[in-house]
Structure formats: structure tokens, C-alpha cells
Amino acid sequence: MATADGGAERAFLVNEGPKKGVSYPIKLAYCGECTMPIEYCEYYVNYEKCKEWLQKNLPREFEKLSVTKEGEGDVEKKDDGGSGEEKKKRQTRGGKGLMKAKKKVEPQGIRMWTASRGKKKKVTIVVGLASYEIDLKDASKFFASKFSCGSSVSGDDEIVIQGDVKDDLFDYLPEKWSQIEEDDIEDMGEKK
Amino acid sequence: MFKKFIPKEMVTNINNAKSSVQKGIRHQVLDQMPFAEDYIDQILPKKEALKIVKCQDHIEILAAQNGELLFFRHRDGDLYPTLKLLHKYPFILPHMQVDKGAIGFVLSGANIMCPGLTSPGARMTRVDKDTVVAIMAEGKDTAIAIGLTKLSTDDIISKNKGVGVENIHFLNDGLWQMKAVK
Ligand SMILES: [Zn+2]
């Protein structure tokens, strides 16, 4: 639909007042580093500092930020993996997309934690291997054979291993992949 | 207006508003921002005196009793909400969305040029010249600045050059940095 001046038909915004279903005042999360709404952190000269702050103080927002960065709703594509709660946790896990976008090659550290599956079962979730240029499928196979258990790639930089194997990973990861130092690995305990 | 605003140096005195002045302000808010009506008692509680923070250069900032900065004005001109208030009630101003490319400029205090408002990533509300507007940004949910239109929306489109909206108050400027007043 072209107008006389050759431009496309323009869709204007219309102010319709308060939105239904939204409760006002809206409480925005502001960044403790740059003080702006966190979606603008990326424009701050010291964005790295913002990310540190977010990760520490608003991990949920930090994760959201990275999911947004990943874009293209890859959230839905992640594997089935159990209850809705677990799914939610996983889809937002990470900081990976953001990190990847900003620093493609620099290793970002490896984080791992356990989570419950059912009443007694535990799984270990490992995030960050991809930033060490490790093929996740290979890694997952390696874990499966090493621990004689199930292991699967569950996100674009996330592996889930059956059982609590965190202690072993501190030994196995640097042993198997020389680019990983034991200090790169962070044990984040148990998450619900 | 607040690019080089240093609260410590700029504030000359702080007083509680007389009730007649407060009534006038309430009126002016409703007049200029009719959508604020349902929330006006939340924004400007009747029982609490407004604080008037007088600053140099004929700037006046209006604050709640708890010190939260709510509105400001220059001489006896239009009232502008602060960005913090606008973030709470985004609908009180018409929105003008700049394209992604303009975000960095707006954050450095630059005025908004017409092309940043007419490109594919931008969207405008139809308003007249001299309207107080919320500057939004492509792909973002929260306001980045508050501006005053220098041209009507139609003129912004037809001229498509020069300043379309004056950048009055933006994220991280002096007013944004200003703490609640005591
Ligand atoms: Zn920040």
C-alpha cells in the first residue's frame, strides 16, 4: 500500500490509557550499576559491570536478559524435560546467549548445580562448556560413559546428567579437557 | 534541560506547596495528562503536601512528601513527569518511539531528529507541536526520555529533517541522578 509520496502506509500509535490487567504503579527493576532500566544496560559504557551486578543481584533478570538476547524464542525449542517448573528454570538458565554474543571465544567459566527430579532422583546441570569450544554432544556421551548414567544436551550450552556428580566433575572436566582449569568451575549447590 | 544539572549546586530551596498551588498543579496534571485521572490520588495524594524544589534557571521540581521526584517545569510552562514517574504510569504521555539507531544519541542527550522517528523501526502517536511526549525505543518497553515536540507528527513526516522532538529529560541525566529530596 503506497501513499502518494511513495512511503508505506504508516501505523500510528494510539494512547489508550492504562492497560487492562496491569496494576499500576509498575515497579521497574533498575540496574544498581548504571541506574537505568536494565534493558538499557547494554548502552552503558561499563556494560560488563552491569552484567556482574545483575548476575549477583537480579539473577532472574540477568537470565531474562540473556534469553532475550538469544532471541528467536529458542525457549520453546528446549527439550521436554519434566515439569513446567523445571522447564521454566532451564529456559532461563544461563547468561549464555548474552555472553556468546559479546565474547564469542572467551571462556565464560563453567557452572553446575543439582536439581531434583521426582522425590529421590537428582540431576546435575552443567552450563558453560560450549564457551570452551567443547562439543556438547561429545561431552554428554563422555559423561554417560564415565558415570554409567543418562546424560543429555538440554540447551544450547547446557547438559543434564543423572545423579549428583558435581564432585567428580571437578576432577574429570580439567582432566578430559585441558583448556578447563579447576578454578573455572563453580559449584552453585542445589537449586529448586 | 538536565544535561548539566548538578542537584547540589542547582537547588536553591525546598518548600511545601500552599494548598492553592497544589490544587493548581493537580489541575494542570489532569489537564495535560487526562489519562492520569484514575491514578491521580495515587500520584498526588490530596492529604500530602507537595514539595516544591526551586532550582536555578527557573526550573521547579515537584516532589512527594517522601521526597520522590514527580514532575518538573520550566518557568510557568508545561508540567513534565519525571522518567521515574513515567515508568510507573507509562500511559500518562503519548509515546514516540525512536528506532534502535537513535538510542545511543538520546542517551547522550541529543534531540530527536525526524528521520529517527520516521524510519521503519520508529512509531509515532499523532500529536501537535509543543506536546510533552514519552520517548520510547525500538525493542524496549520502558521510556528512555521525555521530550517536547518541535513539529507536529504530520510535519515530522513531511519535512523529515531537523529536530522533531526536543530531548528534555533522559536516562542518566542530572535529574535522573538526583536523589529524593529531604
Ligand atoms: Zn546497568
Side-chain angles (χ1 to χ4, degrees):
Chain A
M1 240 182 290
T3 49
D5 60 336
E9 202 73 57
R10 191 173 292 276
F12 289 99
L13 298 168
V14 178
N15 190 2
E16 286 168 328
K19 279 194 186 133
K20 276 195 185 132
V22 178
S23 88
Y24 298 98
I26 290 173
K27 289 195 179 74
L28 264 193
Y30 294 120
C31 172
E33 184 63 34
C34 69
T35 76
M36 296 192 284
I38 54 182
E39 60 177 352
Y40 287 107
C41 282
E42 58 179 308
Y43 290 93
Y44 188 56
V45 283
N46 220 335
Y47 184 32
E48 294 301 314
K49 279 257 156 107
C50 290
K51 284 195 282 190
E52 276 172 31
W53 185 90
L54 284 174
Q55 199 161 13
K56 230 180 244 166
N57 298 279
L58 291 172
R60 264 164 198 278
E61 296 300 331
F62 178 73
E63 286 153 8
K64 253 192 245 162
L65 195 74
S66 29
V67 170
T68 324
K69 283 277 143 187
E70 264 170 59
E72 14 187 82
D74 105 312
V75 163
E76 271 104 9
K77 281 186 261 155
K78 300 219 165 150
D79 84 345
D80 50 284
S83 75
E85 200 192 341
E86 278 164 0
K87 244 192 193 168
K88 206 163 146 202
K89 186 172 61 195
R90 281 215 251 135
Q91 78 193 24
T92 54
R93 190 53 59 210
K96 41 204 171 175
L98 183 68
M99 301 290 196
K100 257 167 70 193
K102 284 279 155 189
K103 294 182 166 185
K104 262 211 163 87
V105 282
E106 204 164 303
Q108 298 299 323
I110 291 162
R111 288 176 295 142
M112 57 185 187
W113 60 91
T114 52
S116 307
R117 293 282 190 274
K119 274 190 186 137
K120 285 183 181 169
K121 274 170 77 183
K122 273 193 178 167
V123 296
T124 304
I125 294 150
V126 185
V127 165
L129 290 170
S131 70
Y132 291 80
E133 296 185 317
I134 293 166
D135 184 286
L136 292 187
K137 274 192 183 154
D138 289 349
S140 175
K141 271 185 205 156
F142 167 75
F143 296 140
S145 70
K146 202 81 188 172
F147 302 121
S148 315
C149 69
S151 172
S152 60
V153 180
S154 53
D156 66 359
D157 192 357
E158 185 179 286
I159 293 178
V160 175
I161 308 165
Q162 305 289 325
D164 181 354
V165 295
K166 283 186 303 184
D167 288 344
D168 295 324
L169 286 172
F170 274 107
D171 297 328
Y172 289 146
L173 292 179
E175 199 179 294
K176 168 84 179 169
W177 293 284
S178 57
Q179 68 270 42
I180 301 177
E181 304 280 337
E182 204 178 312
D183 286 346
D184 293 344
I185 310 169
E186 193 185 348
D187 181 349
M188 305 185 66
E190 187 168 353
K191 295 201 181 180
K192 283 195 180 152
Chain B
M1 197 183 283
F2 299 99
K3 203 170 179 177
K4 290 184 185 133
F5 184 88
I6 302 160
K8 263 189 193 160
E9 296 169 12
M10 300 293 280
V11 172
T12 53
N13 73 60
I14 303 174
N15 283 313
N16 282 341
K18 285 186 201 146
S19 67
S20 59
V21 173
Q22 181 150 348
K23 262 184 207 156
I25 288 165
R26 192 182 167 99
H27 246 104
Q28 201 185 342
V29 170
L30 289 175
D31 201 44
Q32 258 186 260
M33 300 164 230
F35 282 119
E37 193 175 353
D38 290 352
Y39 295 90
I40 192 72
D41 289 329
Q42 232 171 286
I43 299 171
L44 296 173
K46 271 186 184 153
K47 287 177 189 161
E48 282 178 28
L50 263 178
K51 286 181 177 177
I52 299 195
V53 184
K54 283 214 179 346
C55 308
Q56 283 174 31
D57 300 339
H58 308 282
I59 294 170
E60 241 177 31
I61 301 169
L62 311 175
Q65 243 340 281
N66 67 8
E68 193 186 328
L69 311 177
L70 303 174
F71 298 95
F72 61 92
R73 60 181 170 192
H74 187 234
R75 295 181 190 273
D76 287 323
D78 283 333
L79 273 179
Y80 298 82
T82 60
L83 272 168
K84 293 227 169 85
L85 183 71
L86 179 71
H87 286 157
K88 290 180 179 168
Y89 308 94
F91 53 83
I92 59 177
L93 294 182
H95 292 187
M96 296 293 243
Q97 179 186 304
V98 300
D99 61 36
K100 246 194 171 114
I103 296 176
F105 293 104
V106 177
L107 287 176
S108 64
N111 290 328
I112 293 98
M113 310 307 275
C114 292
L117 290 161
T118 58
S119 70
R123 292 193 67 190
M124 291 189 285
T125 306
R126 267 202 145 113
V127 293
D128 292 329
K129 177 178 185 281
D130 294 325
T131 304
V132 179
V133 292
I135 309 296
M136 311 300 288
E138 182 183 3
K140 306 290 182 198
D141 296 323
T142 54
I144 183 173
I146 285 169
L148 183 67
T149 54
K150 292 276 121 191
L151 297 168
S152 68
T153 301
D154 290 342
D155 284 347
I156 288 173
I157 295 165
S158 61
K159 295 205 170 111
N160 204 24
K161 65 174 183 199
V163 175
V165 181
E166 188 184 346
N167 189 349
I168 303 287
H169 165 38
F170 54 95
L171 290 176
N172 256 338
D173 69 2
L175 179 61
W176 176 263
Q177 299 286 349
M178 185 170 166
K179 302 215 165 60
V181 292
K182 282 181 197 137

